[in-house]
Amino acid sequence: MYSKKIVTIVMLAVLVFNVIGPVQISHAAALDNVIGTLTASTVSSPDGGSNVFSKLFSLLFDKILGPILNIFGGGKAANSQAENPVKVTPLPSDGNTSIVDSGVLRGKVIIVDPGHGGSNPGAVANNTRETDNNLAVSLKLKDKLTKAGAKVVMTRESDRTVAPEGSSLGQELSARVNIAETNNADMFVSIHSNSNPDPSLYGAMTFYPSGKASKLALEVQNSIITQTGAVDKGTSPATFYVLRNTSMPSILVEMGFISNADEAKKLQEDSYRNKVAQGIFNGVVKYFTNQ
Ligand SMILES: [Zn+2]
């Protein structure tokens, strides 16, 4: 049959395209993911960490399908942005970008999780450390959410680990999830900076848990792009430990690539950090508004 042949050819083409295409998955978060997966069987895991097939499927989804989705989602723009103005995903109803009704946040418990800290600085490049950018934006986000009436719980508020220093990465990530679960949080927002061996890559992207709704990630991603004008690398499902093990809506924001000199510079600027925080805030408000 023709159709069988066509399907085979298309699948081969997609595989080849993916292999030669730029890797979009975050270096630092991918490390979290792999180690999180490895430690899943020793740290409490509600999805039954011993199922080898589900783990394999999750890894395949992240490493292959995730990057494919990003390639089709405009990720290639990062390589040729000088010539081609980057496509910015239009928002359906975003006439006013900075003023949003924040009444919906009253009483909501929101966990803000600045990635890394202490002995684990995360990605380090272009004279900036991931942990510092993550914390600075997280503190600004905390301010905005608190002023809007939310109850914000930070996993850390200084340059330190969340689990006792010297704990394994599995214990560190588990400590962050435990804060969300013991507070019966309505939302978990993890904030990271990206890194890639290819310094020409830049842009913001937002991950959500594999198999769960992408709505929160889409709202936050779109709002970050609106506020910052960053390259839109889209949203993608992922099996990062903190996404896989939190029971409430959760996202992991990769604000930009510190391996790219320009984006590293921006992420150290107070005004740019404020724009990123405002974007995340607006996305969170839109998510609760449309629930
Ligand atoms: Zn990170």
Side-chain angles (χ1 to χ4, degrees), residues 34-55:
V34 171
I35 296 173
T37 304
L38 290 175
T39 54
S41 50
T42 52
V43 182
S44 70
S45 165
D47 67 0
S50 60
N51 186 331
V52 174
F53 281 107
S54 84
K55 275 186 207 164

Side-chain angles (χ1 to χ4, degrees), residues 85-146:
V86 172
K87 172 189 79 86
V88 174
T89 310
L91 283 173
S93 60
D94 201 32
N96 197 329
T97 55
S98 57
I99 301 168
V100 284
D101 176 17
S102 51
V104 292
L105 294 187
R106 216 153 287 283
K108 299 287 188 201
V109 178
I110 300 176
I111 309 297
V112 178
D113 175 45
H116 313 279
S119 56
N120 172 10
V124 178
N126 288 307
N127 299 318
T128 185
R129 305 189 311 161
E130 189 189 344
T131 176
D132 299 327
N133 298 323
N134 299 347
L135 182 60
V137 172
S138 295
L139 288 170
K140 289 181 185 300
L141 176 61
K142 178 200 176 187
D143 271 2
K144 294 176 194 295
L145 291 169
T146 304

Side-chain angles (χ1 to χ4, degrees), residues 26 28-29 32 115-116 122-123 130 134 191-194 252 254:
S26 115
D32 281 4
H116 313 279
E130 189 189 344
N134 299 347
I191 297 182
H192 288 250
S193 312
N194 221 331
L252 189 150
E254 291 283 3

Side-chain angles (χ1 to χ4, degrees), residues 2 5 33-34 40 91 108 118 121 211 237 245 257 266 280 283 286:
Y2 259 115
K5 236 180 204 170
N33 180 34
V34 171
L91 283 173
K108 299 287 188 201
N245 293 293
F257 287 78
K266 281 186 189 167
I280 299 170
K286 280 177 191 158

